[in-house]
Amino acid sequence: MKLSIRKKVCLALVAFSLFCAITLALIIVIGFNPFYYQFKKNGMISVGQDVKTVYEQNGSDGFDDIDQISQEIGADIFIIDHGKLAYSSRPDRRVMMPPMHERKEIGEITDGRAEKEMHMQPPRHVREIMELLQGHEPNLNGSKEIQFYETQNHIKLLDLIYRVQDHTYLIISQPIAPIEESVQIAKQFVVICGILWLIVAVLGAFFFSRELTRPLLKLKKLAQGMTALDFSHKWDGKGDDEIGQLGNSLNALSDQLDTALSDLKETNKELQKQLDKANEVEHMRKQFISAVSHELKTPLAIIQGYAEGLDDLAFDDDTRNRYCRVIRSETEKMDRLVMDLLNLSRLETGSFRIEKTDFDFTALAEETKERFAGTIAEKKIHMQWDLPEEILVNGDPERIDQILNNYISNAIDYTESGKTIRISTEENQDTYTVSVYNQGIQIAPENQGRLWQAFFKVDSARTRTFGGHGLGLSIVAALVKLHEQHYGMYNAADGVVFWFTIAKAKTSQAEAAIEQAERRQD
């Protein structure tokens, strides 16, 4: 049978109380008499010492004090001094002893009652007094001797013989009957008190167990609520004991679990986002594979067709040169694709390293301007370079050039003929912000964050209208991060602006110019 904690506590307290009551009863039955008699012995010895002191100090003048002591303890006190009765607590100051001739006459009677009385001896203390009066001194083990004894007519006495000084003895005799009566009264009193105490203990156990388990039941309810993920209820007890501490700990645990559950929900949401992102990346990867296949298939088909034409057909020099230029152009496109794939792989694996130095960004931009001059002229794009004569920055010149090339190449791909591309800079406290604006199609907000992801391309159809293969901006993002700088984009009023920051130079302008000149010579 399953018992509640309240019943267990109540039964435990009742069992403990019953055990204590039984133990007390056994102690009273077994040990109370020896203890009480020993207590009386010690008390009689103490009385003997008091009487001895009074007699030694006052002699016969102290008999009144000895009488008072005798009355207080209810005992007979006798003092034998050099074979004479010096003191007796009896009213007539004498000792009741059977005369010798009376004992002889009793001995001559032949009936059974007289024979029985003839063999009866006087009490021990009377015999001791008789021996002392006859000049016989007792053989004591020490200065005193005390013992219980019972007379032939079943009267129990407690007897003390005490050597006051040489040839002077103190004898105290006290009946046991009053003592035994006191013992019985004490036993009955203890038994009655024990029964009353047991009743009170049982009632107290019931109420105590109820009060003790009430907060525990409340804590149980709170714990059950926590198992059901309900953390709205709290322990509101005011106690500072173990139960109160447990309640406070349960409150703290509830708060922690609530926080942990909330964090877990947020984590699950984040994991779901990451899973969605992973699915999206996987989708983009598949798109990229398709795009790469298309990007490789198209130039390979062109190269194959023109190569077969060169091999099988007879052309004049101009036609043959045009065929060769087409083959070379498609080969360069394939080379750029392979290089971008290699760079992206190195960036993702962390094996890509940069070497920072101070250089003039304006000079680097001039080189880029010359590189794209033909393409810009061919598409009839208005190119604006709003740059100071000199901008000293710190970074890897080759990688900064790659970032700028990717931005400008991307701008050219998405800028129609007659539109404008503008490159400008803005000086900040520790950096310069380089911006590339192209007039044209704006980017939808849902695609702006995805632009920097590998394999993403706004032109999901993978046509050759805008060029590129979706790796340029992801490479830009990785290179800018390697420089510990920032990048981004935003839609302008009639176009798009891509930007990145670059740190200011750490050396002077003269030193930077020398380093850049040496680098160009190399």
Side-chain angles (χ1 to χ4, degrees):
M1 181 177 63
K2 185 177 180 180
L3 296 177
S4 64
I5 188 171
R6 176 176 296 179
K7 292 180 179 179
K8 289 180 179 179
V9 172
C10 184
L11 290 176
L13 291 175
V14 170
F16 178 74
S17 300
L18 186 60
F19 170 78
C20 293
I22 294 174
T23 303
L24 180 62
L26 292 175
I27 291 174
I28 293 173
V29 172
I30 298 173
F32 190 79
N33 283 355
F35 172 78
Y36 193 77
Y37 289 149
Q38 185 62 41
F39 178 78
K40 280 299 190 181
K41 281 184 178 182
N42 295 335
M44 184 171 283
I45 293 173
S46 177
V47 169
Q49 291 175 347
D50 292 340
V51 173
K52 172 187 175 184
T53 301
V54 171
Y55 184 73
E56 288 179 341
Q57 292 178 358
N58 302 320
S60 60
D61 294 335
F63 287 169
D64 292 338
D65 294 336
I66 298 175
D67 288 339
Q68 186 176 355
I69 294 174
S70 174
Q71 293 174 5
E72 288 177 355
I73 66 173
D76 292 333
I77 300 176
F78 306 94
I79 299 176
I80 311 299
D81 192 351
H82 291 80
K84 295 181 180 181
L85 180 62
Y87 171 79
S88 173
S89 61
R90 295 291 179 89
D92 54 0
R93 302 296 184 183
R94 298 179 64 184
V95 182
M96 297 298 296
M97 294 184 296
M100 296 299 295
H101 66 279
E102 290 183 2
R103 291 203 299 274
K104 290 180 180 180
E105 291 177 356
I106 293 174
E108 294 174 356
I109 300 174
T110 59
D111 61 334
R113 180 173 176 273
E115 290 180 358
K116 183 178 180 181
E117 291 180 355
M118 179 184 67
H119 293 287
M120 292 178 60
Q121 295 182 354
R124 180 176 180 270
H125 72 281
V126 175
R127 295 198 307 272
E128 292 171 347
I129 292 173
M130 292 174 59
E131 291 177 355
L132 288 171
L133 292 177
Q134 294 174 3
H136 303 292
E137 295 191 4
N139 185 18
L140 302 178
N141 295 325
S143 62
K144 57 184 174 292
E145 185 176 295
I146 186 170
Q147 63 179 357
F148 290 104
Y149 68 95
E150 184 176 354
T151 62
Q152 291 181 341
N153 56 353
H154 304 293
I155 298 176
K156 297 180 180 179
L157 298 171
L158 181 62
D159 179 64
L160 169 68
I161 180 169
Y162 198 105
R163 181 185 288 114
V164 178
Q165 55 190 12
D166 292 342
H167 309 296
T168 303
Y169 292 89
L170 167 67
I171 297 174
I172 301 177
S173 178
Q174 184 178 18
I176 298 299
I179 299 176
E180 291 182 339
E181 183 180 0
S182 299
V183 170
Q184 293 301 324
I185 294 173
K187 287 182 178 179
Q188 293 177 4
F189 177 77
V190 172
V191 169
I192 294 173
C193 291
I195 294 174
L196 294 176
W197 174 77
L198 183 61
I199 295 173
V200 174
V202 171
L203 295 176
F206 173 75
F207 290 105
F208 175 75
S209 61
R210 185 178 66 176
E211 293 299 319
L212 178 65
T213 55
R214 181 178 297 171
L216 294 178
L217 294 176
K218 187 173 182 180
L219 290 175
K220 175 187 174 183
K221 185 177 179 181
L222 290 177
Q224 290 175 342
M226 291 173 61
T227 58
L229 303 181
D230 180 13
F231 306 107
S232 59
H233 301 286
K234 301 295 182 181
W235 166 260
D236 55 358
K238 304 300 182 182
D240 196 22
D241 54 5
E242 288 79 359
I243 294 178
Q245 294 175 2
L246 177 60
N248 294 331
S249 299
L250 199 62
N251 286 344
L253 178 61
S254 176
D255 294 337
Q256 292 178 2
L257 288 177
D258 192 15
T259 303
L261 185 61
S262 300
D263 293 342
L264 182 60
K265 290 180 180 179
E266 294 297 327
T267 302
N268 289 337
K269 291 181 181 179
E270 187 65 27
L271 289 176
Q272 186 62 42
K273 292 180 181 179
Q274 294 180 4
L275 180 61
D276 295 340
K277 183 178 180 180
N279 293 333
E280 182 181 359
V281 171
E282 177 65 17
H283 177 68
M284 289 191 300
R285 185 186 66 82
K286 292 179 180 180
Q287 287 184 334
F288 170 73
I289 292 176
S290 175
V292 169
S293 300
H294 177 77
E295 293 290 341
L296 290 176
K297 180 180 179 180
T298 300
L300 284 174
I302 295 175
I303 291 172
Q304 182 180 3
Y306 277 86
E308 290 176 352
L310 288 174
D311 187 44
D312 297 337
L313 302 175
F315 297 110
D316 55 21
D317 291 340
D318 292 339
T319 304
R320 185 167 45 255
N321 291 335
R322 182 166 57 84
Y323 273 39
C324 289
R325 286 196 301 272
V326 171
I327 293 173
R328 186 165 52 253
S329 175
E330 295 299 326
T331 303
E332 289 175 354
K333 291 179 181 179
M334 292 177 61
D335 180 67
R336 286 196 300 271
L337 175 60
V338 173
M339 290 302 300
D340 285 344
L341 288 173
L342 290 175
N343 288 334
L344 182 62
S345 176
R346 292 171 59 193
L347 288 168
E348 289 179 346
T349 57
S351 60
F352 202 93
R353 297 290 182 269
I354 61 174
E355 296 181 1
K356 293 183 179 181
T357 186
D358 292 341
F359 65 94
D360 182 7
F361 179 80
T362 301
L364 183 144
E366 288 294 330
E367 297 177 1
T368 305
K369 181 178 180 181
E370 294 177 3
R371 187 180 304 119
F372 286 98
T375 304
I376 291 172
E378 183 179 350
K379 291 192 68 173
K380 298 179 180 180
I381 296 174
H382 300 291
M383 198 73 175
Q384 297 179 5
W385 297 83
D386 297 337
L387 302 177
E389 293 183 0
E390 187 178 53
I391 303 176
L392 295 180
V393 295
N394 179 265
D396 188 326
E398 182 178 355
R399 302 310 167 192
I400 298 298
D401 182 58
Q402 187 176 358
I403 294 172
L404 186 60
N405 282 344
N406 285 353
Y407 270 173
I408 294 177
S409 176
N410 187 69
I412 292 173
D413 288 339
Y414 288 89
T415 302
E416 298 178 356
S417 177
K419 300 295 183 178
T420 302
I421 295 177
R422 181 170 58 253
I423 294 88
S424 61
T425 60
E426 179 182 355
E427 184 177 1
N428 307 313
Q429 182 177 357
D430 299 320
T431 61
Y432 288 98
T433 299
V434 180
S435 300
V436 178
Y437 160 81
N438 70 280
Q439 187 180 15
I441 302 174
Q442 294 184 336
I443 300 175
E446 61 271 16
N447 291 331
Q448 291 180 8
R450 302 172 61 190
L451 287 174
W452 312 99
Q453 298 175 0
F455 318 131
F456 179 79
K457 189 174 182 182
V458 176
D459 178 20
S460 59
R462 293 290 174 180
T463 63
R464 295 170 68 89
T465 303
F466 297 106
H469 39 72
L471 294 177
L473 292 181
S474 61
I475 293 175
V476 166
L479 290 175
V480 174
K481 288 179 180 179
L482 281 178
H483 282 79
E484 299 178 350
Q485 295 298 318
H486 305 284
Y487 62 92
M489 62 80 53
Y490 58 90
N491 287 324
D494 56 350
V496 180
V497 177
F498 286 84
W499 61 270
F500 70 98
T501 61
I502 183 170
K504 290 183 177 181
K506 298 179 180 180
T507 59
S508 63
Q509 295 182 357
E511 292 174 345
I514 294 174
E515 290 181 2
Q516 190 167 7
E518 292 177 350
R519 188 168 58 255
R520 287 179 178 177
Q521 291 177 0
D522 294 340

